[in-house]
Amino acid sequence: MEDFEITNAAEWDLSAKRPPPVNIENVRPVSVTPMFSRRERRVQRPREHRPAPNFSIDPDNAATSAWRRREDADGRIRIPRGLDLAKLNIERIAAVTGTHIMPSSEKTYGEMRTLLIWGNGNLEQVEVAKDSIKESVEELR
């Protein structure tokens, strides 16, 4: 109890030494950072814009770009359902003819399946790709 009375008395004693008044000219400015929530910090953080990396070994041709833009296919060809697309080698045919070839996602019943061919409006490329696919199908049969 004695310690409390001593400290309490020291607080109220007017003869005790007080710190000198602050001179405004001698005070250094303090940088104050405003408080932000995590979301506000995330939003305000400057973003560095870098070009997207090229992950593909081969850049897209015009036909693949048309497929990515979800344009309609320029041609269709039906092949037997039992054929292995890897053995048919449609990627090589597409690269040689400058087209983009994908199997249709529509459900088909029966013995045939549909391949969609994009040629970016060049129907000659589409016809060459169809002929190449027909030859490959005949070789595999």
Side-chain angles (χ1 to χ4, degrees):
M1 190 77 173
E2 291 178 22
D3 292 335
F4 175 74
E5 291 176 359
I6 293 174
T7 55
N8 198 14
E11 284 183 16
W12 291 98
D13 186 13
L14 298 177
S15 63
K17 291 185 177 180
R18 295 186 178 196
V22 176
N23 187 356
I24 297 178
E25 296 172 359
N26 295 335
V27 175
R28 289 179 288 172
V30 178
S31 63
V32 178
T33 56
M35 296 294 293
F36 294 111
S37 68
R38 286 184 180 175
R39 183 172 186 212
E40 290 171 335
R41 277 185 274 164
R42 197 171 352 126
V43 170
Q44 291 182 355
R45 186 178 314 138
R47 301 241 179 209
E48 184 178 318
H49 295 287
R50 289 181 253 160
N54 293 329
F55 293 114
S56 177
I57 294 172
D58 299 323
D60 287 350
N61 60 14
T64 305
S65 297
W67 170 74
R68 289 190 195 282
R69 289 190 303 265
R70 298 178 187 262
E71 294 180 5
D72 291 333
D74 295 322
R76 295 171 178 257
I77 186 169
R78 294 183 52 94
I79 61 170
R81 181 175 286 283
L83 283 180
D84 186 11
L85 293 179
K87 290 181 181 176
L88 189 61
N89 208 357
I90 58 174
E91 290 179 4
R92 183 186 59 79
I93 294 171
V96 169
T97 59
T99 58
H100 184 78
I101 305 170
M102 288 287 294
S104 175
S105 61
E106 298 172 358
K107 286 189 176 181
T108 57
Y109 300 100
E111 299 177 4
M112 304 296 273
R113 81 187 299 179
T114 305
L115 293 180
L116 302 175
I117 305 171
W118 284 264
N120 197 29
N122 190 346
L123 298 179
E124 293 174 6
Q125 290 178 332
V126 173
E127 291 301 321
V128 171
K130 283 183 180 181
D131 293 339
S132 299
I133 292 171
K134 286 177 187 175
E135 290 173 9
S136 297
V137 167
E138 292 301 321
E139 288 175 8
L140 288 175
R141 281 187 170 179

